[in-house]
Amino acid sequence: MSSISDPIVIPGFPDNFKWGAATAAYQIEGGASSGGRGPSVWDMLCRQPGRVFEGHSGEITCDHFGRWKEDVALMKEIGLNSYRFSVAWPRVIPDGDGAVNPGGLSFYDKLVDGLLEAGIEPCVTLFHWDFPYALYLRGGWLNPGSPAWFARYARTVVDALSDRVTSWMIFNEPQCFVGNGHQDGSHAPGDKLGWREVGVVAHNVLLAHGRACTVIREHAKRRPTVGFVMASWPRVPADESPANVEAARKETFIMHAPSVWSSAWWLDPVVFGRYPEDGLRLYGADAPAFTDADMREINVPLDFIGLNIYSGGPVRAGEGGKTVAVPLPVGGPSTLFHWKLVPESLYWGPKFFHERYKLPIWIAENGMSGHDWVSIDGRVHDPQRIDYLTRYLVELRRASRDGVPVGGYFVWSLLDNFEWAEGFKQRFGIVHVDYATGRRTLKDSASWYGRTIRANGTNLPELPPAESAKAV
Ligand code: IFM
């Protein structure tokens, strides 16, 4: 019997919450020339001097291709119930559009079986940036045939895995492979296109999304759950006054210039079947040409929105309806990437996206890069990562308690890995990887994460609203 002085126990996360870790094929697999895999645009970019930190590449990286059994065993040891990984298109169809490579498919087939045997749900991302180089030579995403290439690839994977896989994410962070890959040229394929062409690339990616979603719905052997995964840097209110909350809500979706970084530019077509008016106005004559039929193809029902959130930007309401950015404290906590800690982004981000799009939210990535190494005692101590994850999860739990349907959380990343143009400089894993030997060492954060999973988040501190952030 409870008494008035007993603390009120509020649940942690929903039952059946997906507690996972995420990775991407090019970042961990290695085996770039093994098993019949074709080259991707990332293999080619890494060969160009000066493109990637110290000339690193994903040629070998964590050798997950060779060591996947060991990695599944580690996931089981940690206690994950879900694992988000991506399938490499050029491993499955080496030239992107020709013959299927049975060896490539069988790698994922065995991985899925291994995960299920370990009691871990496989959650598949179809595209995490490793576009087949042969298709790039045929115009890449600028080619009007690109949505059909992607739909065929999707069909191949769905036919092979959907008897066991039910959680599907189609594209990971289209803003990045379009914006970094095709506009500022910092990522593969390294192009610097003008607005008109970038708009075409993005539109073809949206069409590819719609077609792949339809392929999954029509051909999956088990009832699928399908999501769209966005990179998101939500705006957060500088304090919780209604005016500042409204300013943050508005600023999270508004467009001030033509941009493929805008969340609304992607999600409005996918969920509402139309480009945002402000974006179309700003693109002006450079807006992509589209038909009603295109928009119908893009606007097929989705089951959830995946958000990759690492930080956010505080704002307040200014004069005349303007929104003003509020600087974060000088010298405040930030990661090795210089991404500032803004834990309340994991409250406001899910809340604002759910309010606008009325879909469940999964946190498909969250985590931090740090200076992690194997200490003299043979262990990897990463207290800052534990603190970071604690603060962010407290805020996600607040969103869940406030009624946002939050379906899962995937820490980025399971393993230290190849961080694109930053090479191996940034270590995001909860498992340390010695790239010279391939040796894996669980970091302290992995043990902490396992405890948090077992407690379904009830071990996280109870902090008054926004206190997790204020303490920072
Ligand atoms: O490593 C990346 C990942 O591939 C996409 N989301 C952000 C991560 C950290 O930069």
Side-chain angles (χ1 to χ4, degrees):
M1 190 164 156
S2 61
S3 81
I4 201 147
S5 58
D6 284 342
I8 301 167
V9 179
I10 314 171
F13 289 87
D15 291 342
N16 303 322
F17 191 68
K18 292 184 201 301
W19 286 104
T23 61
Y26 191 70
Q27 295 182 270
I28 64 161
E29 281 182 6
S33 325
S34 308
R37 176 184 176 279
S40 75
V41 290
W42 268 99
D43 297 285
M44 304 318 275
L45 189 89
C46 290
R47 288 180 201 168
Q48 295 175 26
R51 289 298 204 151
V52 174
F53 177 70
E54 290 182 351
H56 300 165
S57 84
E59 181 77 26
I60 302 171
T61 177
C62 309
D63 186 27
H64 174 73
F65 187 66
R67 293 173 171 258
W68 65 269
K69 284 188 185 154
E70 184 185 346
D71 293 335
V72 172
L74 287 172
M75 294 179 219
K76 187 172 177 181
E77 183 180 340
I78 295 168
L80 305 185
N81 65 28
S82 305
Y83 172 53
R84 171 180 177 232
F85 64 94
S86 77
V87 172
W89 184 351
R91 198 180 281 295
V92 170
I93 307 179
D95 68 2
D97 189 36
V100 172
N101 170 29
L105 266 185
S106 89
F107 169 66
Y108 298 107
D109 196 57
K110 284 188 274 185
L111 176 62
V112 164
D113 280 345
L115 287 164
L116 290 171
E117 271 162 37
I120 299 165
E121 187 197 341
C123 302
V124 169
T125 305
L126 285 176
F127 183 80
H128 198 131
W129 309 358
D130 38 7
F131 189 78
Y133 184 62
L135 293 183
Y136 175 66
L137 297 179
R138 291 166 61 190
W141 289 113
L142 280 170
N143 188 317
S146 53
W149 300 335
F150 187 72
R152 175 171 174 253
Y153 156 65
R155 174 77 196 267
T156 308
V157 178
V158 166
D159 283 350
L161 304 182
S162 67
D163 56 336
R164 288 152 292 158
V165 170
T166 57
S167 293
W168 298 91
M169 291 168 241
I170 299 176
F171 285 104
N172 183 71
E173 298 180 347
Q175 299 112 309
C176 299
F177 71 86
V178 176
N180 295 135
H182 295 80
Q183 190 171 32
D184 70 34
S186 59
H187 280 194
D191 287 340
K192 292 188 176 176
L193 305 175
W195 275 120
R196 185 182 292 267
E197 289 155 310
V198 170
V200 172
V201 166
H203 189 66
N204 284 337
V205 170
L206 282 169
L207 283 168
H209 162 81
R211 290 202 196 166
C213 199
T214 300
V215 162
I216 298 171
R217 298 236 180 265
E218 288 180 356
H219 298 282
K221 295 170 194 150
R222 293 181 59 199
R223 197 195 153 124
T225 302
V226 190
F228 191 100
V229 180
M230 301 292 297
S232 172
W233 209 270
R235 299 300 178 275
V236 302
D239 62 43
E240 300 199 0
S241 69
N244 288 348
V245 169
E246 189 46 37
R249 181 182 286 117
K250 193 177 79 184
E251 201 63 24
T252 295
F253 300 104
I254 206 168
M255 290 178 71
H256 295 292
S259 171
V260 287
W261 292 96
S262 149
S263 299
W265 188 255
W266 297 95
L267 283 177
D268 282 16
V270 165
V271 181
F272 302 145
R274 57 172 188 270
Y275 279 110
E277 283 300 326
D278 55 355
L280 283 176
R281 222 177 18 255
L282 291 157
Y283 268 90
D286 287 337
F290 58 87
T291 62
D292 288 350
D294 285 357
M295 298 322 279
R296 280 196 298 276
E297 250 188 312
I298 293 167
N299 172 221
V300 284
L302 265 192
D303 299 303
F304 68 94
I305 292 172
L307 296 177
N308 297 351
I309 298 180
Y310 292 85
S311 186
V315 295
R316 65 172 174 80
E319 297 291 311
K322 293 225 169 71
T323 301
V324 183
V326 176
L328 286 157
V330 173
S334 72
T335 71
L336 181 58
F337 232 140
H338 304 299
W339 294 351
K340 309 260 189 190
L341 263 70
V342 182
E344 65 271 37
S345 56
L346 230 57
Y347 174 74
W348 294 106
K351 188 173 168 66
F352 291 157
F353 278 80
H354 173 64
E355 281 171 357
R356 184 177 176 97
Y357 297 111
K358 315 275 183 259
L359 284 168
I361 303 293
W362 295 15
I363 300 303
E365 290 180 23
N366 170 246
M368 63 161 276
S369 61
H371 283 291
D372 309 323
W373 65 80
V374 182
S375 293
I376 204 155
D377 62 3
R379 295 171 47 194
V380 182
H381 304 293
D382 56 344
Q384 289 179 328
R385 181 169 292 101
I386 295 174
D387 189 66
Y388 173 108
L389 297 175
T390 302
R391 290 175 188 274
Y392 278 73
L393 277 167
V394 163
E395 292 290 338
L396 183 64
R397 184 181 59 185
R398 177 157 77 105
S400 171
R401 286 173 178 173
D402 279 4
V404 179
V406 186
Y409 173 88
F410 295 80
V411 72
W412 184 270
S413 178
L414 176 71
L415 303 172
D416 289 340
N417 60 51
F418 174 76
E419 177 54 32
W420 310 112
E422 295 276 303
F424 296 107
K425 182 164 61 171
Q426 309 285 346
R427 290 184 177 271
F428 274 93
I430 54 172
V431 177
H432 179 275
V433 178
D434 176 340
Y435 298 113
T437 61
R439 193 191 149 108
R440 277 85 163 126
T441 308
L442 293 191
K443 300 183 189 177
D444 290 351
S445 58
S447 317
W448 168 86
Y449 192 44
R451 287 196 297 280
T452 304
I453 294 171
R454 282 190 290 283
N456 199 29
T458 51
N459 62 326
L460 297 168
E462 292 294 337
L463 297 174
E467 223 27 59
S468 67
K470 272 197 219 133
V472 169

